[in-house]
Amino acid sequence: MDEDRIKKAVIGAIDKALDAHDLAEIVRAFARGPRPTLPESPNDAPPTAGAKRLLTRIVLGDILDDTILSARPQDRTFPLRLFFGELSRLLATDAEDGAAADAAFTLASGLNFFFRAPMDGESKMRVGFAVSRQLYVVAHTARLDAELVGRSAPLLAALMTGELERLKFESVDHVKVFDSQIHERAAGSDPTAFSVVRPASFLCRVASNNAVKVKAEVLT
């Protein structure tokens, strides 16, 4: 895949989707470096309405339906609501671990590109697969609760499948033993081990016959 072409497409989609003033607000709100302003004080103004609106868009608050956004603990989609809440928290707070915040922003950007940008089916699948990789980067880097990730991953895979034609994503969090028919070893794996330490991406299948289109990456 032409990475330069993808980068240009991503930049173009962001340019069309975001208001320049709102983008400036959000960058100022979340930049970790020194600001070209007076020293901070307890009376600093809260985030503007534009910054809040942009954060809502970044975490897909304008796309997700009420079955997710308003899910209660007994609802099937509640883990997904918790997951997007964790993603929002990582984006909106001054995390001591900058790597986790950066990973979360990359995931949110990827999800936005996947759900918002028009592209052909093969490109959509490839972008979605890359997004699924980033999901597990965030889970590992931010040390998200393993149970939450394990319960929300299948729901996110199903949500993303709704954007595909003739293909489907599946999570493999429940599979604990390496299976060469559905797994590829991720970088850093022990090539002799068969115990799955953690998943590193979704599995992609052909919807009509369940054939494997792209194997899931796992760490062994």
Side-chain angles (χ1 to χ4, degrees):
M1 208 172 197
D2 189 336
E3 293 186 358
D4 288 336
R5 183 167 58 86
I6 293 175
K7 290 177 182 177
K8 290 179 181 178
V10 172
I11 293 172
I14 292 174
D15 182 57
K16 292 178 181 178
L18 300 182
D19 177 83
H21 176 73
D22 285 350
L23 182 58
E25 291 288 347
I26 206 73
V27 169
R28 282 196 291 268
F30 300 132
R32 291 188 296 278
R35 301 181 185 181
T37 60
L38 295 175
E40 294 184 0
S41 72
N43 296 322
D44 280 347
T48 66
K52 290 180 179 179
R53 185 168 65 252
L54 183 54
L55 179 58
T56 297
R57 285 175 60 83
I58 288 174
V59 294
L60 306 179
D62 61 328
I63 290 181
L64 303 176
D65 61 35
D66 286 342
T67 60
I68 296 172
L69 296 175
S70 302
R72 298 180 177 276
Q74 67 271 21
D75 295 336
R76 184 182 66 86
T77 57
F78 186 67
L80 205 52
R81 176 185 175 183
L82 293 180
F83 169 75
F84 278 105
E86 283 293 293
L87 185 60
S88 179
R89 177 187 63 80
L90 288 169
L91 290 170
T93 59
D94 289 327
E96 292 182 4
D97 185 355
D102 288 345
F105 184 76
T106 301
L107 174 59
S109 299
L111 284 168
N112 272 274
F113 187 53
F114 177 81
F115 281 106
R116 298 184 194 276
M119 64 190 91
D120 62 79
E122 181 71 14
S123 297
K124 177 78 78 170
M125 183 274 292
R126 293 294 175 183
V127 170
F129 185 78
V131 167
S132 76
R133 280 178 176 166
Q134 190 63 23
L135 163 68
Y136 293 105
V137 170
V138 171
H140 180 63
T141 305
R143 299 178 181 85
L144 296 183
D145 179 73
E147 182 179 359
L148 171 61
V149 176
R151 293 175 63 195
S152 58
L155 298 172
L156 183 59
L159 186 67
M160 294 172 66
T161 293
E163 299 290 312
L164 300 178
E165 296 180 2
R166 299 184 291 276
L167 298 171
K168 62 181 180 179
F169 287 128
E170 294 178 5
S171 72
V172 295
D173 295 63
H174 60 290
V175 183
K176 303 304 180 184
V177 178
F178 181 83
D179 181 347
S180 61
Q181 293 186 356
I182 62 172
H183 292 155
E184 290 280 3
R185 286 185 170 87
S189 292
D190 179 349
T192 65
F194 282 87
S195 177
V196 173
V197 177
R198 62 177 183 271
S201 80
F202 289 159
L203 170 71
C204 183
R205 292 185 184 272
V206 177
S208 60
N209 58 16
N210 232 28
V212 174
K213 171 74 172 177
V214 181
K215 294 180 180 181
E217 296 182 0
V218 295
L219 190 74
T220 59

